[in-house]
Amino acid sequence: MMMIQFAIPIAPIPKGRPRLSRFGTYTPKKTKTFEEAVRVYARQAMGSQEPLETALEAFLYFRVGVPQSYSKKRTEACLSGSERPTTRNGDLDNLTKGVLDAFNGIIFKDDCQIVEMHLTKVYASEPGIDVLIKEI
């Protein structure tokens, strides 16, 4: 059973909605930049290995930064886990979509192969994403 585990040391960004212009639809620049950075880490984790083609289970652990406007006491509450990230840092489903879309063709052929997901979003002093993808 194959398993890929790695960390992405960049702050998670929710997938932006496609935008319409007179030239058609386009993905917001912030989303494109984030997905390109995620692809770099995915390629490093995979090395020369081909994308997985079987049913997969995904574990994504999103570490979001504590807002700078928070007091010292509130920041400590966030980092201890007594306050959870429920505002202004992205819906869990949008955070997940951007990461999985970036993995398409690198870690797996297509994200439709994922049949089980385990998602977590926490405050952390070092933002990033911890990834574990394994064959079922």
Side-chain angles (χ1 to χ4, degrees), residues 5 37 120:
Q5 185 173 9
T120 306

mmCIF file with all atom_site columns, all heavy atoms in Angstrom, residues 5 37 120:
data_model
loop_
_atom_site.group_PDB
_atom_site.id
_atom_site.type_symbol
_atom_site.label_atom_id
_atom_site.label_alt_id
_atom_site.label_comp_id
_atom_site.label_asym_id
_atom_site.label_entity_id
_atom_site.label_seq_id
_atom_site.pdbx_PDB_ins_code
_atom_site.Cartn_x
_atom_site.Cartn_y
_atom_site.Cartn_z
_atom_site.occupancy
_atom_site.B_iso_or_equiv
_atom_site.pdbx_formal_charge
_atom_site.auth_seq_id
_atom_site.auth_comp_id
_atom_site.auth_asym_id
_atom_site.auth_atom_id
_atom_site.pdbx_PDB_model_num
ATOM 1  N N   . GLN A 1 5   ? 3.461  11.314 2.328  1.00 0.00 ? 5   GLN A N   1
ATOM 2  C CA  . GLN A 1 5   ? 3.289  12.231 3.441  1.00 0.00 ? 5   GLN A CA  1
ATOM 3  C C   . GLN A 1 5   ? 4.310  13.349 3.319  1.00 0.00 ? 5   GLN A C   1
ATOM 4  O O   . GLN A 1 5   ? 5.496  13.097 3.100  1.00 0.00 ? 5   GLN A O   1
ATOM 5  C CB  . GLN A 1 5   ? 3.473  11.482 4.765  1.00 0.00 ? 5   GLN A CB  1
ATOM 6  C CG  . GLN A 1 5   ? 3.207  12.320 5.974  1.00 0.00 ? 5   GLN A CG  1
ATOM 7  C CD  . GLN A 1 5   ? 3.223  11.497 7.257  1.00 0.00 ? 5   GLN A CD  1
ATOM 8  O OE1 . GLN A 1 5   ? 3.599  10.329 7.271  1.00 0.00 ? 5   GLN A OE1 1
ATOM 9  N NE2 . GLN A 1 5   ? 2.830  12.125 8.341  1.00 0.00 ? 5   GLN A NE2 1
ATOM 10 N N   . ALA A 1 37  ? 2.456  26.955 -6.170 1.00 0.00 ? 37  ALA A N   1
ATOM 11 C CA  . ALA A 1 37  ? 3.385  26.689 -5.060 1.00 0.00 ? 37  ALA A CA  1
ATOM 12 C C   . ALA A 1 37  ? 3.131  25.308 -4.463 1.00 0.00 ? 37  ALA A C   1
ATOM 13 O O   . ALA A 1 37  ? 4.075  24.560 -4.176 1.00 0.00 ? 37  ALA A O   1
ATOM 14 C CB  . ALA A 1 37  ? 3.239  27.765 -3.991 1.00 0.00 ? 37  ALA A CB  1
ATOM 15 N N   . THR A 1 120 ? -8.815 18.921 8.982  1.00 0.00 ? 120 THR A N   1
ATOM 16 C CA  . THR A 1 120 ? -8.696 19.642 10.243 1.00 0.00 ? 120 THR A CA  1
ATOM 17 C C   . THR A 1 120 ? -8.140 21.028 9.957  1.00 0.00 ? 120 THR A C   1
ATOM 18 O O   . THR A 1 120 ? -7.245 21.180 9.128  1.00 0.00 ? 120 THR A O   1
ATOM 19 C CB  . THR A 1 120 ? -7.741 18.898 11.204 1.00 0.00 ? 120 THR A CB  1
ATOM 20 O OG1 . THR A 1 120 ? -8.178 17.549 11.345 1.00 0.00 ? 120 THR A OG1 1
ATOM 21 C CG2 . THR A 1 120 ? -7.693 19.558 12.567 1.00 0.00 ? 120 THR A CG2 1
#
